[in-house]
Amino acid sequence: AQECQNLEVERQRRLERIKQKQSQLQELILQQIAFKNLVQRNRQREQQTKRPPPANSVIHLPFIIVNTSKKTVIDCSISNDKFEYLFNFDSMFEIHDDIEVLKRMGMACGLEVGKCSAEDLKTARSLVPKALEPYVTEMAQGPINNVYMTTG
Amino acid sequence: RFQALQREVSELTEAEEKLDELINKCSLQLRLLTEDTVTLGYVRCQDLRNTVHPADQIIMVIRAPPETQMQVSEPTEGYQISLKSSKGPIDVFLCPED
Amino acid sequence: RSRILISIGESFGVSDEKFQKINEMVSSTDWSLKRSLDGGSAPKPLKRL
């Protein structure tokens, strides 16, 4: 009975770790798809315009954004060497990192919310290695719940 | 019951090892990807404006060197964001409205 | 008083759930209440960024 008890504890612990690793893998797959989609879009645009966009009009990854109402007053202090900044906001704001921005731009094909059209799913599957395709198919319906013992 | 548990734990061990392998591969692929196509990994101000609602907000973009410390604290009035870099200057700019 | 510390500037893909926590912390603040708690003093006119 004691050995069963120990195995039951071990089983529970492994299930929790697998759940955590499934969501970690899901986030990595989303990032890979979002980044590849962004690169593809930029490459197509540059081919259409036959030149890269003006340097001061692009924001390279990694970045974060802080957005707030136009009415917000922001008090900003900057050190001379630009190593330190201090911002005081008198109203609320939001902070988002670049992967969140890419998801909102639709670069993750809606997989982050489990709403992915058949067309988008086809695109997303083409952007990942074979071993990850079953995960992408599953993510189109919702969070990853399985582990596929595929090789490759 | 003991044998059934033993079998299940061994399957879970295999599944977890598979996940570890995929996570390591994916992390490496993403790192190589971002290094190889650094010139094409960019967004434009209009992209950012399309992701905030309402669109006519102030959008501040922060590009910082690695290990920059960002602290968000709640002093007596309003909120404070402080940025401290030890590896180089921090770039902060506002997205133009048009 | 709440305070959240994050390391930023890491390469793309090092995402951090803390941004969500910050947004929840900031949006949960009642700004009018905060202002009244500050003795009703109208916020001092801060210079606009």
Side-chain angles (χ1 to χ4, degrees), chain A residues 1-8, chain B residues 1-2 5:
Chain A
Q2 182 56 47
E3 283 175 354
C4 272
Q5 175 65 25
N6 295 345
L7 269 181
E8 189 54 54
Chain B
R1 187 163 131 66
F2 179 78
L5 275 170

Side-chain angles (χ1 to χ4, degrees), chain B residues 4-21:
Chain B
L5 275 170
Q6 240 179 353
R7 208 171 26 254
E8 189 176 352
V9 167
S10 113
E11 284 164 8
L12 290 175
T13 306
E14 216 182 315
E16 187 177 2
E17 283 161 5
K18 184 67 186 171
L19 282 170
D20 287 336
E21 179 200 329

Side-chain angles (χ1 to χ4, degrees), chain A residues 57-138:
Chain A
S57 72
V58 298
I59 298 146
H60 279 280
L61 276 58
F63 63 84
I64 58 175
I65 66 168
V66 181
N67 56 283
T68 182
S69 153
K70 272 191 349 183
K71 300 188 192 73
T72 300
V73 177
I74 306 171
D75 183 34
C76 171
S77 315
I78 309 175
S79 66
N80 291 332
D81 58 6
K82 291 177 65 178
F83 275 49
E84 292 191 39
Y85 285 72
L86 189 61
F87 300 101
N88 277 297
F89 290 75
D90 79 338
S91 183
M92 67 177 285
F93 56 81
E94 286 180 3
I95 299 184
H96 300 291
D97 61 7
D98 40 22
I99 182 61
E100 178 62 26
V101 169
L102 293 194
K103 287 175 186 173
R104 290 182 175 206
M105 286 168 62
M107 292 292 151
C109 305
L111 289 167
E112 72 279 10
V113 288
K115 292 193 179 78
C116 181
S117 68
E119 189 57 32
D120 280 345
L121 175 55
K122 199 163 148 237
T123 306
R125 281 169 60 96
S126 69
L127 293 172
V128 298
K130 211 126 199 67
L132 297 177
E133 284 185 17
Y135 293 97
V136 173
T137 304
E138 190 178 355

Side-chain angles (χ1 to χ4, degrees), chain A residues 10-23:
Chain A
E10 172 65 9
R11 172 183 170 277
Q12 207 47 51
R13 229 194 344 244
R14 284 209 180 265
L15 284 170
E16 275 150 27
R17 277 212 302 268
I18 283 174
K19 191 121 203 79
Q20 188 267 326
K21 288 178 179 177
Q22 283 168 327
S23 67

